[in-house]
Amino acid sequence: MSIKIGLLGFGTVASGIPFLLKENQEKISAASRDRLEIAKVLVKDDEEKNRLLAAGNKFNFVTNVDDILSDETIDIVVELMGRIEPAKTFITKALEAGKNVVSANKDLIATHGRELIKLAQDKGVAFYYEAAVAGGIPILRTLANSLTSDKVTRILGVLNGTSNFMMTKMVDEGWTYEAALAEAQALGYAESDPTNDVEGIDAAYKAVILSQFGFGMTIDFDQVAHQGISNITPDDVSVAQQLGYVIKLVGSVEETESGIFAEVSPTFLPKSHPLASVNDVMNAVFVESIGIGESMYYGPGAGQKPTATSVVADIIRIARRIKDGNVGKPFNEFVRHTRIAHPDDVKSHYYFAVNTADEKGKMLRLAEIFNSEDISFEQVLQQKANGETARVVIITHSLSKTQLANVTEKLKAVADFELVNTFKVLGE
Amino acid sequence: MSIKIGLLGFGTVASGIPFLLKENQEKISAASRDRLEIAKVLVKDDEEKNRLLAAGNKFNFVTNVDDILSDETIDIVVELMGRIEPAKTFITKALEAGKNVVSANKDLIATHGRELIKLAQDKGVAFYYEAAVAGGIPILRTLANSLTSDKVTRILGVLNGTSNFMMTKMVDEGWTYEAALAEAQALGYAESDPTNDVEGIDAAYKAVILSQFGFGMTIDFDQVAHQGISNITPDDVSVAQQLGYVIKLVGSVEETESGIFAEVSPTFLPKSHPLASVNDVMNAVFVESIGIGESMYYGPGAGQKPTATSVVADIIRIARRIKDGNVGKPFNEFVRHTRIAHPDDVKSHYYFAVNTADEKGKMLRLAEIFNSEDISFEQVLQQKANGETARVVIITHSLSKTQLANVTEKLKAVADFELVNTFKVLGE
């Protein structure tokens, strides 16, 4: 007997699975209490199949998903195709056929996870997706298993390797956004259309999934505000450094009195904050909680072997639960009624970069606008007063999303001021 | 019905347990599928009992352990007394009585864990101890559950908060060892006899436990070499900084061709290494593996609430397994035949600080000694040539423990040289 696996897709991550099964055979078999066997692999068409066979891949390649779905000997279907369709249809059919499913598809899980999770529960099968958040970092299982005793108050994450690689170049080496993007594309980290990575969409998918495991609440993808890194300038970066901060694209999920709030945004991190030294393509999830206090989980957010490691950990867990007769246990059992925070309750320090004419009284006017919204300053820096224009940089004390919206509107309404950038600042 | 718990000891950590059970009641009950109830608490004597009752603690305090061991309604015994005896006797009796046991006692588990684990298995009960390594960091369960698919090649850990606090003062603020120790004692981080913390003994206990979870091998405590921080001088610290390193007390467990090797020693970490920015009393475990590559788990290594969080996570897991009927599963299922590495196979870069008379030919003589052991230099720095004595600092290329022992012996045999310090250097 062995546990038989059907792979949907044979791209980079999928081909890391046979590597682990071979290199780590003894440990994996012992943990699974059985041998794991890749029984069938779905590929797109005969051309891909022939190419893979010619390259020496000794798998049973099939081109029709039904060859896997109708194969009663297959226990676990592993979806590694990415995107929404046909992955969604295939996973749905697999769950309906009573198969356990492992997926690394964050886009799909963040947007259609709710129905897939429900279907898996109805069918009494497993639907696991550790690899969907922060690739190789075992953060979902850790939240589900180890932080059960704790109450999470906020999760902050460097969740996208591509944008973090770019921010590292921009911060450590003073590169422009454009130069960093060109390098990320040259190295294959960024796609030709980099929108998902640089605009925080990919990180927002992960924030949706983290909110389920950390807070027991399911928010919709479009409830996660996201702001990208494309308008961060070398000026912003150097001011941040001057004031003791590092800018990174940070996904955050926090619980306030009225509910949870999730967003992805460029964030000023104090240099001493553990997330501030997470560089290049690495990811990290920083968890604030009433018990542990502060903990951080760091590792590669993507890549063949790290992602495959998370996928195989899911497979092993399913294999064990098949033996134990409790495979229907949901991946995440922590479920509460979802409440979304009121903007009045969501608070942060903020950075404002404002251009203004270098004239007497402008600073007073600016101070009046902030004061009218009850916002006080923590640090103020006036730069580039060249007789014509001046740049004023403000770090505020804590203010709410409501105050932020109001002051932004007021600043935009006044012709004297050009609001260049507004970023979150993590207080110490 | 509820799951009934007997606490052995009511010190700092123990009193964090009711805090979590109360503050996080809903989530914990949902995860446990039951209410957790502290049924009895063992204290030393009537004096302690009366003092705790007078302070408003509303528990059923008992002074005879048999009141807990013979109580058939108690499912889980939580030992938080510390030290070897009477903890060992009480845990043994509890396991023999068929009770599940949770402990945070690293000293005991590192030195007598083997027999206690075997007894628990024979009796078909649980014996969990997540809190024994790195307090609040859920590292043991993560190694057991998530890294099952991976093959760990090396674990490096900042495993002792007290010594890390001291090293942070010595590195960031240039304090002497003596000043750092006095401050740690004043803040209550270090005991009046600080030996266990500053000589690497506490970290060595944790290395023993990590080697079980990471490598499946059980080594004896006395097989873990340990070197402390007491002879690190401000000179060492400043040379390290000059060369781009930070010195920390690091526990390491690695697997070589001939077996595993564990030690605790002051280690030069490249400034860019994730462990290098783990400061103050925080702990971190850095894992190198063939799948994930590099991952790190960071958090508080001690403290009431963090440690209690790990203890309660163990309790919840046991409660669930009682319901699922598989409570006898060992905490760590990864077991291999233990092989200890041959010293020839254990390799590292090293730092040597050598004092010598400031005379012609000394440097040549020193180079000859290293050359005779086939050791080559990566960096050499001569300091303080004041006409009388010179300090020569050498960072070597990789050498084995055998070479290290040989060259150390040769240096000691030559009256011209005083070998001041030898520390490991983590290569980039």
Side-chain angles (χ1 to χ4, degrees):
Chain A
M1 272 288 286
S2 65
I3 298 279
K4 291 196 168 53
I5 298 162
L7 293 187
L8 309 185
F10 200 71
T12 311
V13 172
S15 51
I17 296 175
F19 163 81
L20 281 172
L21 295 186
K22 181 164 174 284
E23 287 297 315
N24 212 11
Q25 192 176 11
E26 207 183 330
K27 184 179 178 187
I28 291 173
S29 298
S32 307
R33 297 274 187 277
D34 210 334
R35 212 166 61 82
L36 302 181
E37 182 193 337
I38 298 173
K40 287 177 184 168
V41 179
L42 178 72
V43 293
K44 210 172 55 190
D45 49 29
D46 282 337
E47 196 189 314
E48 188 182 5
K49 173 178 170 172
N50 292 331
R51 187 172 51 74
L52 287 165
L53 288 171
N57 291 287
K58 293 188 195 343
F59 293 104
N60 183 5
F61 292 106
V62 299
T63 55
N64 185 339
V65 71
D66 291 331
D67 286 345
I68 290 174
L69 300 181
S70 65
D71 184 339
E72 298 207 344
T73 69
I74 290 180
D75 305 288
I76 305 173
V77 170
V78 178
E79 182 272 313
L80 295 164
M81 313 170 72
R83 316 278 160 146
I84 305 299
E85 285 295 353
K88 177 166 176 278
T89 302
F90 290 178
I91 290 178
T92 304
K93 282 185 176 176
L95 293 171
E96 279 171 348
K99 306 222 176 288
N100 304 289
V101 173
V102 175
S103 170
N105 193 329
K106 55 196 151 294
D107 312 30
L108 176 61
I109 294 158
T111 53
H112 297 87
R114 210 189 300 238
E115 51 194 285
L116 296 174
I117 291 163
K118 184 171 182 314
L119 179 58
Q121 274 187 262
D122 291 347
K123 291 287 173 180
V125 294
F127 178 48
Y128 293 177
Y129 39 88
E130 175 67 80
V133 176
I137 308 175
I139 183 63
L140 298 184
R141 186 157 283 116
T142 300
L143 286 169
N145 287 350
S146 294
L147 276 86
T148 37
S149 53
D150 207 347
K151 185 188 282 182
V152 175
T153 52
R154 180 160 69 165
I155 296 177
L156 299 170
V158 172
L159 300 171
N160 180 271
T162 305
S163 58
N164 198 45
F165 169 82
M166 291 170 58
M167 285 309 311
T168 305
K169 290 288 178 204
M170 290 161 70
V171 169
D172 287 358
E173 300 175 32
W175 291 21
T176 62
Y177 168 80
E178 290 73 20
L181 176 59
E183 177 78 355
Q185 285 172 325
L187 291 170
Y189 296 151
E191 296 176 54
S192 54
D193 175 2
T195 311
N196 272 18
D197 289 325
V198 301
E199 293 305 334
I201 296 168
D202 174 78
Y205 287 141
K206 293 162 182 169
V208 167
I209 300 171
L210 284 171
S211 66
Q212 292 164 12
F213 283 74
F215 299 89
M217 295 194 187
T218 302
I219 51 178
D220 292 331
F221 171 69
D222 55 20
Q223 290 172 314
V224 183
H226 57 88
Q227 180 188 357
I229 62 170
S230 54
N231 55 350
I232 299 175
T233 67
D235 272 349
D236 296 321
V237 170
S238 86
V239 170
Q241 283 184 315
Q242 220 177 314
L243 300 174
Y245 296 96
V246 171
I247 313 183
K248 292 204 173 282
L249 185 66
V250 173
S252 76
V253 191
E254 62 185 298
E255 183 163 359
T256 73
E257 208 156 304
S258 51
I260 61 167
F261 179 80
E263 74 177 336
V264 176
S265 59
T267 302
F268 280 40
L269 299 167
K271 275 180 188 159
S272 61
H273 193 280
L275 282 177
S277 39
V278 175
N279 286 324
D280 300 318
V281 294
M282 300 306 271
N283 280 198
V285 180
F286 185 84
V287 179
E288 296 174 6
S289 58
I290 64 164
I292 299 177
E294 297 185 343
S295 55
M296 188 173 81
Y297 309 87
Y298 165 95
Q304 180 189 44
K305 288 175 192 172
T307 311
T309 304
S310 288
V311 168
V312 176
D314 282 349
I315 293 172
I316 292 172
R317 174 72 17 175
I318 291 174
R320 274 306 290 275
R321 288 193 166 170
I322 290 173
K323 305 281 164 191
D324 289 347
N326 57 7
V327 77
K329 271 191 192 176
F331 188 24
N332 170 43
E333 299 189 274
F334 179 35
V335 179
R336 295 152 73 204
H337 173 65
T338 300
R339 298 180 312 144
I340 302 294
H342 191 280
D344 286 357
D345 291 342
V346 181
K347 288 175 183 163
S348 176
H349 301 241
Y350 281 91
Y351 159 93
F352 290 83
V354 180
N355 282 346
T356 173
D358 187 15
E359 292 166 12
K360 205 176 148 188
K362 292 300 177 198
M363 193 66 205
L364 173 65
R365 182 77 193 97
L366 197 60
E368 280 171 353
I369 292 176
F370 279 87
N371 192 54
S372 71
E373 289 300 326
D374 224 12
I375 299 167
S376 57
F377 297 168
E378 196 173 282
Q379 294 185 70
V380 180
L381 204 70
Q382 180 166 331
Q383 296 180 301
K384 290 193 185 170
N386 58 8
E388 284 190 13
T389 62
R391 167 169 287 202
V392 180
V393 164
I394 296 161
I395 305 269
T396 70
H397 283 289
S398 186
L399 57 102
S400 73
K401 285 280 172 192
T402 310
Q403 287 172 295
L404 175 66
N406 291 345
V407 80
T408 303
E409 203 176 317
K410 282 190 180 171
L411 286 170
K412 284 184 176 163
V414 179
D416 289 1
F417 301 119
E418 180 205 357
L419 179 54
V420 184
N421 265 325
T422 313
F423 299 129
K424 268 170 85 169
V425 177
L426 197 68
E428 299 218 47
Chain B
M1 272 285 288
S2 64
I3 298 279
K4 291 197 167 53
I5 298 162
L7 294 186
L8 308 186
F10 200 71
T12 311
V13 171
S15 51
I17 295 175
F19 163 80
L20 281 172
L21 294 185
K22 180 164 176 284
E23 287 297 315
N24 212 12
Q25 190 176 12
E26 206 183 332
K27 185 180 178 187
I28 291 173
S29 298
S32 309
R33 296 273 188 278
D34 210 335
R35 212 167 61 82
L36 302 181
E37 183 193 335
I38 298 172
K40 288 178 184 168
V41 179
L42 177 72
V43 294
K44 211 173 53 190
D45 49 28
D46 282 334
E47 195 188 316
E48 188 182 4
K49 175 178 169 169
N50 293 331
R51 188 172 51 74
L52 287 165
L53 286 172
N57 293 285
K58 294 187 195 341
F59 294 103
N60 183 5
F61 292 105
V62 299
T63 54
N64 184 342
V65 71
D66 292 330
D67 286 345
I68 289 174
L69 300 181
S70 66
D71 184 339
E72 297 207 343
T73 70
I74 290 181
D75 306 289
I76 304 172
V77 170
V78 178
E79 181 272 314
L80 295 163
M81 313 170 72
R83 315 278 161 147
I84 305 298
E85 285 295 354
K88 178 166 177 278
T89 301
F90 290 178
I91 290 179
T92 303
K93 283 186 177 174
L95 294 171
E96 279 170 349
K99 306 223 178 285
N100 304 288
V101 173
V102 175
S103 170
N105 192 328
K106 55 196 153 292
D107 312 31
L108 176 61
I109 294 158
T111 52
H112 297 86
R114 209 189 302 239
E115 53 196 281
L116 296 173
I117 290 163
K118 186 173 180 313
L119 178 58
Q121 274 188 263
D122 291 348
K123 291 287 173 183
V125 294
F127 177 49
Y128 294 177
Y129 39 88
E130 176 66 80
V133 176
I137 308 175
I139 184 63
L140 298 184
R141 187 157 282 116
T142 300
L143 286 169
N145 288 350
S146 293
L147 275 85
T148 38
S149 52
D150 207 346
K151 184 188 281 182
V152 174
T153 52
R154 180 160 69 168
I155 296 177
L156 299 170
V158 172
L159 300 171
N160 179 271
T162 305
S163 58
N164 199 45
F165 169 83
M166 292 169 59
M167 285 309 310
T168 304
K169 290 288 178 205
M170 290 162 70
V171 169
D172 288 358
E173 300 176 34
W175 291 22
T176 61
Y177 168 81
E178 290 73 19
L181 176 59
E183 176 79 354
Q185 285 172 327
L187 291 170
Y189 296 149
E191 297 176 54
S192 54
D193 175 1
T195 311
N196 272 16
D197 289 325
V198 301
E199 294 304 336
I201 295 167
D202 174 78
Y205 288 141
K206 294 163 183 169
V208 167
I209 301 171
L210 285 171
S211 65
Q212 292 164 13
F213 282 74
F215 299 89
M217 295 192 188
T218 302
I219 52 179
D220 292 332
F221 170 70
D222 55 21
Q223 289 171 316
V224 183
H226 58 89
Q227 179 187 357
I229 62 171
S230 54
N231 54 350
I232 299 175
T233 67
D235 273 347
D236 297 321
V237 169
S238 86
V239 169
Q241 282 184 316
Q242 217 175 317
L243 300 175
Y245 297 95
V246 171
I247 314 184
K248 291 203 173 283
L249 185 66
V250 173
S252 76
V253 191
E254 63 186 298
E255 183 163 0
T256 73
E257 209 156 303
S258 52
I260 62 168
F261 179 79
E263 73 176 338
V264 176
S265 59
T267 302
F268 279 41
L269 299 168
K271 275 181 189 161
S272 60
H273 193 282
L275 282 177
S277 39
V278 175
N279 286 325
D280 301 318
V281 294
M282 299 305 272
N283 280 198
V285 180
F286 185 84
V287 180
E288 297 173 6
S289 57
I290 65 164
I292 298 176
E294 295 184 343
S295 56
M296 188 172 83
Y297 309 87
Y298 165 95
Q304 180 188 44
K305 288 176 193 171
T307 311
T309 304
S310 289
V311 168
V312 176
D314 281 350
I315 293 172
I316 292 172
R317 173 71 19 172
I318 292 174
R320 274 305 289 275
R321 289 192 165 170
I322 290 173
K323 304 282 165 190
D324 289 347
N326 57 7
V327 78
K329 271 191 191 177
F331 189 23
N332 170 44
E333 299 189 275
F334 180 35
V335 179
R336 295 152 75 203
H337 174 65
T338 300
R339 298 181 310 144
I340 302 294
H342 190 281
D344 286 357
D345 291 341
V346 180
K347 289 175 184 164
S348 176
H349 301 241
Y350 281 90
Y351 159 93
F352 289 84
V354 180
N355 282 345
T356 173
D358 188 15
E359 291 166 14
K360 206 176 148 188
K362 292 300 178 199
M363 192 66 205
L364 174 65
R365 183 75 194 98
L366 197 60
E368 278 171 354
I369 292 176
F370 279 86
N371 192 55
S372 71
E373 289 301 325
D374 224 14
I375 298 167
S376 56
F377 297 167
E378 197 174 281
Q379 296 185 70
V380 179
L381 203 71
Q382 180 166 330
Q383 295 181 303
K384 291 193 182 168
N386 59 5
E388 283 187 18
T389 62
R391 167 169 286 202
V392 180
V393 163
I394 295 162
I395 306 271
T396 69
H397 283 289
S398 185
L399 57 101
S400 72
K401 285 282 173 189
T402 311
Q403 287 172 295
L404 175 66
N406 290 345
V407 80
T408 302
E409 201 174 320
K410 282 189 181 174
L411 286 170
K412 285 186 176 163
V414 180
D416 289 1
F417 301 119
E418 181 205 354
L419 179 55
V420 185
N421 264 327
T422 312
F423 299 130
K424 267 170 85 170
V425 177
L426 197 67
E428 299 220 46

